[in-house]
Amino acid sequence: MEELDRRIVQLLARDGRLSYTDLGKATGLSTSAVHQRVRRLEERGVLRGYRAVVDHEAAGMPLTALISVTPVDPAAPDDIPDRLRHLTEIDSCFSVAGEESYVLEVRVGTPGDLELLLARVRAAANVTTRTTVVLSTPWEDRSPLAAGESAD
């Protein structure tokens, strides 16, 4: 990736609402040149979308947990992600190497909510679970392209 494209991605990773004019000022490119580069980055799949960053605590879901899941029957079809897709408390589903098949990142309001979610996960996907509760999150969603960048 060209250095200018990398810079545009870094800037948009920090603030996806930057205008083409602001991106141009930060990169030394014209507004139309930035627009073309952003469009090409989108077409190539480097930029896949723009989203709001939610403060989960303010939204009433302060508890984050990582749930490792292992099929009860290893010979069963590997359809765990499809079986769990309807559970809206699951933010991410990662296929992993190791003893477990998947690790789920979940957000819930209380420990009781987590307990209920674990029962729903086990029932929906016929899996065993191992859960890690997150105590704090010093940082997250850091793009490798933005490594070394300071947050102004």
Side-chain angles (χ1 to χ4, degrees):
M1 180 183 309
E2 291 182 31
E3 189 57 38
L4 279 173
D5 288 344
R6 183 177 307 279
R7 181 71 179 137
I8 290 169
V9 170
Q10 289 171 343
L11 291 164
L12 288 173
R14 288 186 4 206
D15 183 356
R17 297 178 67 172
L18 283 175
S19 69
Y20 295 128
T21 302
D22 290 337
L23 286 169
K25 288 177 185 174
T27 59
L29 296 172
S30 69
T31 301
S32 62
V34 167
H35 185 252
Q36 289 174 355
R37 283 180 178 266
V38 169
R39 190 179 63 233
R40 280 197 309 263
L41 289 165
E42 291 170 343
E43 289 169 355
R44 290 178 25 217
V46 174
L47 295 174
R48 297 187 326 182
Y50 305 87
R51 62 186 175 97
V53 177
V54 176
D55 180 329
H56 295 324
E57 189 166 332
M61 301 188 74
L63 195 151
T64 302
L66 305 173
I67 303 172
S68 299
V69 299
T70 305
V72 171
D73 178 7
D78 185 6
D79 60 355
I80 292 171
D82 293 332
R83 289 174 172 236
L84 298 177
R85 192 171 307 278
H86 69 284
L87 299 175
T88 57
E89 298 91 342
I90 301 174
D91 268 358
S92 302
C93 176
F94 304 102
S95 175
V96 296
E99 285 187 40
E100 292 89 5
S101 298
Y102 295 91
V103 173
L104 312 173
E105 179 184 20
V106 304
R107 310 245 185 203
V108 293
T110 67
D113 294 336
L114 178 58
E115 187 174 20
L116 292 172
L117 177 61
L118 287 167
R120 292 169 50 213
V121 165
R122 291 181 193 124
N126 193 29
V127 295
T128 60
T129 61
R130 184 174 55 86
T131 304
T132 302
V133 173
V134 174
L135 298 177
S136 69
T137 306
W139 47 262
E140 67 181 333
D141 292 333
R142 186 173 71 170
S143 168
L145 292 174
E149 286 291 308
S150 63
D152 296 319

